[in-house]
Amino acid sequence: VKSLRRVQTFVHRNTGTVVAAADGDPLRKEATDEKHGRRSLSAVQAERQGQAERSVLISCNPRTNEKKFLKFLSRHGDVSKYFFYESYGIYALVEFTKRESVASLLEEAAIPTVSHEALVPFKTRLLSLKNIDSVGSTNQQYQPQTTAPINQLIQRLSREESIDRQVISLTESYQLTEENSRLRFLVCSLLQDMVAAYFPECAIKPFGSSVNGFGKLGCDLDMILDLDSISGRKAKTPKSASSLEYQLKRASTERAVTQSILSVIGECVDQFGPGCVGVQKILNARCPLLRFAHQPSSFQCDLTANNRVAVKSTELLYLYGQLDPRVRFLVFTVRCWARAHGITSSIPGAWISNFSLTVMVLFFLQRRSPPIIPTLDHLKGLAGPADKSVIEGNDCTFVSDFSRIQLRSNTETLEQLLCEFFDFYATFAFGKMSINIRKGKEQNKPEVAPLHIQNPFEISLNVSKNVNATQLGRFVALCQESSWLLQQVETATPTGGAAGNTPRPWGLAALLQPSQVAEIKSRKKRRREPASERIRTLLESLKNNKQPNKS
Ligand code: CTP
Ligand code: MG
């Protein structure tokens, strides 16, 4: 079995950082900016979609004999890639060289017989392998699909020699792996098969952090149901005087159509979709969506439709991440730092979202002197006729050809940028100013909100409208503290540590530890507890014949 992936490395001209780029497909040539080895998002997506269509997901016994397993599969054609992973059991993702092999494999699959239960005979590319030879003990290598716990990361970073190395190491341990990306596209492809029962020509594509280059292992899977690809949906010019039209059901608004489509798909996924659980229809949101968990992949899935602006913002984020490796390194580091301190959360609420945080990093990089990345208006100016895009009255035009973008020569290190980032937002005039990556300059706030970040494409919207003053205050306090920590000799320099011992957390590792300020504040709060409360604890501890908790 050959791995499809060859890795090409190149040295970034400004930073001297070694960057790896996946290689190895015919699409690459046409869509690559040869000078820098960068590929367009659409080329990456087309390749991944192709792989996903040739793949199946098979639940296996943990002691499956790998050789026998491959021999069994190869009766249907060449396997180009496979890997095992764990998610509510052991699964294998298997990719064939040819699509026909999948059809041949499915031909062989049977509907199981069960007693005491009934089954919905809905066939998908999610299968179970039965009665294959087992080996004595588990020898399979499971590909991790989640990140290591933060404490392990802190230990790993503490052993690095510089803050630059720490930032790179953090990104390497958090970013999506090749395998996890394949799994994401496969889940989209499986869902597309289900939706194709209603809309045979539809496409389901991932967007957001699964594909914008800033995704962390374990992040949610945002998907868009693309109905625009259905032929004839965009007005055609009739070829002759006579013409035919489909008779279609009508609804009062575009939004009502989206809601009804998502509602029906939600039913289908809920009632028929193998492995799909906890389906929620969130149809009254600004952007209606279906939310569910896909157990065989462990992904939390969000499916939206008619959300083309979000696809554009995904492309924009991807482009910025490709322009200079420092963009991704910094975004990963800031996102991880924010998560470690509860500045961001997986639950929606009044806190800053990862998307807002990413825009804040981009804005900061535009404000460097010289700027590391150009403004969105500059990217719009470089656009060619094919890049023109207006969605629901919003101008979403920007250049797609990387080679047209000239970067300024900024040589700041990751360490400098990290310190400067904290300084920048520790002192930013949040009260008066709005963050604006279109102009690359702060603007007067158009409306009252603690944090105002202009949506790059829907410019009348505030990306961080949900954020309250308390959450913004926590962010600013942490920026101040992190900036201070990076200026202290004890925390900002490597601690070494005796051989075999884990060094004391320093640099970025120190920044990821629980906040000192939060600790002091909570100690003060405990001291302020009413006397009656303290007496009660004391009495209780005496009753139990124990020492009261001194902390
Ligand atoms: N998005 C947007 N405007 C918003 C929120 C989101 O345009 N106010 C788009 C962005 O393209 C974003 C995508 O929707 O990347 C998905 O949103 P979300 O899942 O909230 O953010 P992610 O970038 O995917 O980050 P995470 O890893 O936290 O899921
Ligand atoms: Mg997301």
Side-chain angles (χ1 to χ4, degrees):
V1 178
K2 287 188 307 243
S3 163
L4 269 182
R5 188 175 184 233
R6 296 196 298 272
V7 169
Q8 181 204 15
T9 57
F10 68 92
V11 177
H12 189 268
R13 69 196 150 111
N14 288 339
T15 56
T17 322
V18 176
V19 182
D23 183 13
D25 73 304
L27 281 166
R28 184 177 175 269
K29 261 208 162 49
E30 60 180 74
T32 302
D33 168 7
E34 289 294 344
K35 203 166 71 178
H36 299 103
R38 295 179 297 213
R39 302 169 68 201
S40 75
L41 181 58
S42 56
V44 174
Q45 284 191 305
E47 183 195 5
R48 291 263 183 240
Q49 274 155 16
Q51 292 169 342
E53 282 163 8
R54 301 191 303 270
S55 303
V56 293
L57 207 49
I58 307 179
S59 154
C60 315
N61 182 315
R63 291 202 298 276
T64 299
N65 182 326
E66 206 168 319
K67 271 198 185 139
K68 291 260 165 69
F69 175 66
L70 281 175
K71 201 168 161 216
F72 173 80
L73 294 168
S74 60
R75 289 191 289 127
H76 301 280
D78 288 343
V79 171
S80 49
K81 162 103 185 172
Y82 75 96
F83 63 88
F84 293 96
Y85 67 92
E86 211 172 344
S87 167
Y88 301 92
I90 305 302
Y91 281 87
L93 185 154
V94 179
E95 182 196 314
F96 287 96
T97 313
K98 295 206 179 85
R99 223 175 148 172
E100 299 89 86
S101 307
V102 173
S104 159
L105 184 82
L106 295 182
E107 194 93 338
E108 187 182 323
I111 301 268
T113 44
V114 292
S115 46
H116 315 301
E117 270 179 316
L119 296 167
V120 182
F122 193 78
K123 295 177 178 175
T124 70
R125 282 178 283 145
L126 177 63
L127 305 157
S128 298
L129 183 65
K130 299 285 173 191
N131 306 325
I132 197 153
D133 283 358
S134 300
V135 286
S137 61
T138 321
N139 60 351
Q140 285 165 8
Q141 287 280 317
Y142 300 140
Q143 293 295 328
Q145 305 303 324
T146 49
T147 53
I150 186 90
N151 289 343
Q152 274 178 34
L153 179 74
I154 291 177
Q155 282 181 17
R156 182 176 166 176
L157 299 186
S158 305
R159 287 191 285 268
E160 296 290 352
E161 286 162 4
S162 66
I163 293 183
D164 277 42
R165 279 299 323 161
Q166 290 184 323
V167 168
I168 294 169
S169 172
L170 179 146
T171 308
E172 283 168 354
S173 29
Y174 268 39
Q175 67 193 355
L176 299 184
T177 58
E178 163 78 15
E179 287 77 17
N180 194 265
S181 281
R182 281 173 193 259
L183 192 53
R184 284 172 190 268
F185 276 86
L186 177 54
V187 172
C188 291
S189 179
L190 295 176
L191 198 63
Q192 180 172 314
D193 284 358
M194 284 192 234
V195 178
Y198 304 104
F199 303 102
E201 297 160 276
C202 77
I204 291 199
K205 296 173 180 164
F207 72 99
S209 60
S210 296
V211 283
N212 66 15
F214 303 122
K216 169 183 169 232
L217 268 182
C219 68
D220 67 355
L221 172 58
D222 303 297
M223 296 175 275
I224 180 172
L225 166 62
D226 181 6
L227 295 170
D228 289 329
S229 50
I230 293 182
S231 55
R233 219 171 113 82
K234 284 192 187 121
K236 278 185 193 164
T237 35
K239 291 195 180 87
S240 65
S242 328
S243 63
L244 275 176
E245 271 181 357
Y246 284 100
Q247 284 199 18
L248 302 173
K249 189 128 194 162
R250 283 156 203 263
S252 52
T253 58
E254 209 41 69
R255 180 178 166 83
V257 174
T258 303
Q259 285 169 329
S260 79
I261 291 174
L262 285 178
S263 175
V264 172
I265 293 171
E267 281 310 308
C268 175
V269 170
D270 189 24
Q271 316 263 346
F272 303 160
C276 301
V277 299
V279 179
Q280 293 174 59
K281 297 179 185 179
I282 309 171
L283 302 179
N284 288 325
R286 189 178 73 83
C287 186
L289 77 147
L290 287 183
R291 178 163 288 170
F292 59 93
H294 185 257
Q295 286 193 331
S297 62
S298 295
F299 293 143
Q300 180 67 35
C301 301
D302 279 352
L303 176 69
T304 58
N306 202 4
N307 192 7
R308 285 182 296 145
V309 178
V311 172
K312 271 285 159 193
S313 69
T314 302
E315 284 170 16
L316 180 70
L317 261 48
Y318 175 84
L319 182 135
Y320 275 130
Q322 293 289 305
L323 287 183
D324 186 302
R326 289 171 293 180
V327 178
R328 286 185 71 243
F329 289 135
L330 210 61
V331 169
F332 266 99
T333 303
V334 170
R335 278 185 169 206
C336 177
W337 163 87
R339 189 74 184 86
H341 293 292
I343 293 290
T344 52
S345 163
S346 56
I347 315 156
W351 22 85
I352 300 175
S353 70
N354 271 333
F355 181 61
S356 298
L357 211 51
T358 307
V359 177
M360 288 170 92
V361 176
L362 296 178
F363 180 72
F364 160 74
L365 294 172
Q366 291 175 333
R367 300 297 291 140
R368 304 308 302 151
S369 176
I372 293 183
I373 49 170
T375 67
L376 179 51
D377 269 346
H378 181 79
L379 295 178
K380 183 178 157 188
L382 296 174
D387 297 325
K388 188 150 183 63
S389 163
V390 177
I391 302 168
E392 288 155 21
N394 300 300
D395 193 345
C396 302
T397 307
F398 63 92
V399 64
S400 59
D401 179 358
F402 295 121
S403 66
R404 289 203 207 170
I405 307 166
Q406 292 293 318
L407 296 178
R408 307 278 296 276
S409 159
N410 174 309
T411 55
E412 284 173 294
T413 64
L414 293 169
E415 176 176 353
Q416 284 168 328
L417 290 171
L418 191 62
C419 299
E420 295 287 341
F421 172 86
F422 294 130
D423 259 1
F424 184 81
Y425 284 114
T427 53
F428 189 81
F430 287 108
K432 277 197 288 202
M433 304 313 256
S434 162
I435 290 165
N436 187 314
I437 60 164
R438 183 164 278 284
K439 302 261 170 265
K441 205 169 181 327
E442 49 265 45
Q443 308 284 306
N444 284 327
K445 264 192 204 178
E447 64 193 39
V448 195
L451 176 59
H452 197 282
I453 304 174
Q454 190 194 58
N455 188 309
F457 297 118
E458 293 168 286
I459 57 172
S460 63
L461 300 180
N462 173 11
V463 169
S464 52
K465 196 176 163 194
N466 61 311
V467 177
N468 66 18
T470 313
Q471 292 304 324
L472 178 65
R474 290 185 58 226
F475 170 77
V476 173
L478 260 165
C479 284
Q480 287 164 353
E481 185 186 333
S482 297
S483 161
W484 181 82
L485 283 173
L486 289 178
Q487 287 166 36
Q488 306 309 303
V489 183
E490 313 88 80
T491 36
T493 39
T495 44
N501 287 347
T502 308
R504 185 169 46 78
W506 74 278
L508 179 54
L511 298 192
L512 297 179
Q513 289 204 300
S515 153
Q516 321 280 319
V517 174
E519 182 62 16
I520 294 164
K521 274 191 182 158
S522 77
R523 248 183 266 147
K524 273 190 192 155
K525 203 168 147 201
R526 262 178 266 152
R527 242 178 269 140
R528 280 203 305 266
E529 264 174 6
S532 58
E533 181 66 14
R534 264 183 281 143
I535 291 164
R536 195 183 59 80
T537 332
L538 191 67
L539 282 174
E540 243 163 46
S541 62
L542 283 174
K543 216 165 41 187
N544 297 332
N545 208 9
K546 276 189 204 147
Q547 280 284 308
N549 189 351
K550 285 200 193 97
S551 64

